[in-house]
Structures are given as C-alpha cells and as structure tokens.
Amino acid sequence: MVRASTCAGISRSGRILPETAEPTAGRTIRGDERMHGKSVTRWAAAVGVTVVTAVLGCQPAGAAAYPTSIAALGDSMTRAFNTCAMPWTDCVRNSWATGTAVDSYSERLRKLEPDVATHNLAVSGARMSDLPRQAKAAVSNHVGLVTVLMGNNDACSGGTAAETFASQFKEAMTTLRQGLPNAQVKVVSIPDIYQLWVLLHTDKSAVAKWGTFHECDALLTNPTSTDPADQQRRDAFRQRIIAYNAQLAAVCAEFSQCEYDGGAGFAARFDASDLSTVDYFHPSVKGQGLIADVVWKALGY
C-alpha cells in the first residue's frame, strides 16, 4: 500500500521480547493446555481468529508503508504450545505470528521492514472474553501491527453463544480503534478443527491422548463412535465455528479499518504431520509454518 507523507503522532517503536525467556504474557486462563483441560491449537489451526492492526508511521510520499512493531494476541496456538523439546510449555520462538525459528508472519514482514519489533502477548487457554484485555495491552505498547488468533477455546468449551462471542470481539475492536485510531485491522477466520477428527479418529495413539488430556471434548470425546448422538455433537461443533466466523465477518464490516480474510483460515487444509504428537491437538512446528503461510497469503503485504 502507498501513502503520502504523514507524521500524525504515530508510534513506530516496540520492544523485541527475548526468545530465550519464553515470556508469560498474562494470567493463566482455566481450560487450556494439558494442565487446564481445554486448549486451543490449531490454527488452525489453532489454527482461531487473527486480527492484525497495522499503524503506519512517517513515510516519504510514494513509499510503501509497513508496520515496525507487532503485538500477537490470542491463545496457545499463538504461543506455539507443545512445539519445544520440553512438552506442555509455550515456545514462542516457533510461533506462526512472531517466531524467529520458523518463517513466521513477522519474519516475512521483516524482509520488507527489517526493524520490526515483536511482542507476543497471547495467553494459553484464552477465550474471546480475554481479547479486550489483550487489546488494551497492545494499545499500551503502541504497536503498529496486532495479530489475533482466537476462538478455538470458545468452540471447544461449547459455552460461548455466538452473540456473546460477537459482543466480546466488538469490544476488543473498539478498544483497538480508540487506542490505535490509524490502525489497519485484519481478521483471520477460525480454522476448521473438525479436520482433527477426520484425520485421526482411527489412529490409536491420537485417540488415547485425546482421552487422556481432554483438549477438546466437544469434538473429540468418543472419537471412534458412530452413534448418531456423537455424530450430531461433532456436526454441532463445526457449525459453532462457522457461526463464530460469520460473527467475525459481520463485526469486522462495522469498522472501516478492518479486513476479513474471506474464510482463508477456515478453508486451510492440514495433515497429521502438522500436529504435535504430544497431544495430537496443537500445531507442530511444521503446522505453525503452515498457519503463517495461510495468514500471509490472505492478509500479508
């Protein structure tokens, strides 16, 4: 995109989080990861919802303007949970959004803007109800780009009504608009996690771990059952994600700076190699790279 020269008090700074520390970006939310029961992964996956806010700094007339700082908001998928040698931990260096060990969104952007700074503010286990708080954190960091992958935990819990989901998302969007008025917001649809069951419901190892860790019982309980009630539960899970995505599109349309991905996240296909073998739910390192590729192609620069 091309802009005329402007310097309307837009912040272009941001601190790079050290990759060696695997920082904890907020309170732990119940319902995620191995120790919390309900988790989000896949893009999907985990892949969930991705919001990208790009604030443009001063640029010469005719020059391409790229954001120079990023805040990644979301859940365990954005924290790249279960991708390090130590299981059941976050591993942000492998994050699709801000990772440096994968060809992440930020690494691709860095080829256009070398001085991009990153803040991974996602919280493993977060649901859409936590997005407004994360949006405030992004505003306080004066970032130029915010990514959000959110919604899988809401679907896996089965407890968030579509109308509530929309209201929480709108609150976060309002916070970003008020705090980052010159921002560009890009929203990535929640992935079709139903694929997990399709791919692995006959895999004994996956079935055993789903039964042990209970990452997403709304989809993965009784995975080998062909009982009509179990089939209906799985179908209802997929329809819930479709309903959430419809709300994301509708709310996004209310904000002039917002761009929806047209369903690219939901349409993304993955295979077993894209999943962590620790829990067969979260994305593997390869899966994190796949998410980055899908998001960049849909909403990159």
Side-chain angles (χ1 to χ4, degrees):
M1 56 194 295
V2 177
R3 289 278 182 98
S5 178
T6 176
C7 296
I10 301 171
S11 173
R12 292 170 53 83
S13 64
R15 178 174 61 87
I16 299 179
L17 292 176
E19 292 295 342
T20 57
E22 303 298 351
T24 298
R27 57 188 172 83
T28 299
I29 307 273
R30 291 184 60 192
D32 194 40
E33 314 324 339
R34 153 97 165 81
M35 43 266 190
H36 299 295
K38 300 269 192 294
S39 166
V40 176
T41 147
R42 250 267 9 114
W43 17 317
V47 302
V49 176
T50 299
V51 176
V52 177
T53 306
V55 182
L56 305 177
C58 299
Q59 294 287 339
Y66 303 112
T68 58
S69 57
I70 302 175
L73 313 185
D75 47 46
S76 58
M77 197 289 281
T78 299
R79 297 292 293 175
F81 185 80
N82 265 348
T83 62
C84 272
M86 177 72 72
W88 307 112
T89 59
D90 294 341
C91 192
V92 295
R93 67 175 177 268
N94 292 329
S95 171
W96 69 269
T98 61
T100 56
V102 296
D103 192 16
S104 66
Y105 193 98
S106 63
E107 288 299 290
R108 296 170 195 231
L109 180 59
R110 195 164 278 123
K111 296 171 184 175
L112 303 174
E113 174 52 72
D115 296 326
V116 173
T118 61
H119 307 255
N120 194 314
L121 303 176
V123 177
S124 288
R127 301 182 188 180
M128 185 57 76
S129 60
D130 194 53
L131 188 60
R133 183 193 64 80
Q134 294 187 26
K136 291 178 182 178
V139 171
S140 69
N141 278 285
H142 308 291
V143 297
L145 178 69
V146 178
T147 67
V148 179
L149 182 53
M150 187 77 80
N152 289 298
N153 282 328
D154 295 88
C156 286
S157 71
T160 306
E163 295 77 10
T164 301
F165 184 88
S167 176
Q168 293 165 347
F169 177 54
K170 186 172 183 178
E171 181 183 350
M173 288 294 303
T174 299
T175 295
L176 292 173
R177 181 174 63 184
Q178 293 175 346
L180 300 172
N182 298 297
Q184 183 183 57
V185 180
K186 303 179 182 182
V187 179
V188 177
S189 53
I190 303 169
D192 187 8
I193 312 174
Y194 181 81
Q195 294 176 78
L196 287 171
W197 178 81
V198 173
L199 285 170
L200 295 172
H201 70 278
T202 59
D203 184 291
K204 292 182 179 180
S205 181
V207 168
K209 291 185 178 183
W210 292 344
T212 299
F213 303 130
H214 301 281
E215 301 282 8
C216 189
D217 285 347
L219 173 64
L220 301 175
T221 292
N222 300 328
T224 61
S225 172
T226 57
D227 186 88
D230 287 316
Q231 296 281 26
Q232 290 170 9
R233 171 176 47 79
R234 296 177 200 122
D235 291 342
F237 173 87
R238 190 168 190 266
Q239 289 304 312
R240 189 178 305 127
I241 288 181
I242 291 172
Y244 287 166
N245 282 335
Q247 295 294 339
L248 292 174
V251 171
C252 184
E254 298 178 22
F255 294 80
S256 61
Q257 72 264 56
C258 187
E259 179 185 3
Y260 183 61
D261 76 345
F266 183 80
R269 303 295 93 179
F270 56 91
D271 58 40
S273 67
D274 295 313
L275 300 172
S276 167
T277 56
V278 174
D279 58 11
Y280 290 96
F281 183 70
H282 288 89
S284 62
V285 175
K286 179 174 177 287
Q288 289 285 336
L290 175 60
I291 300 167
D293 193 50
V294 169
V295 176
W296 185 260
K297 287 179 179 177
L299 297 170
Y301 293 86

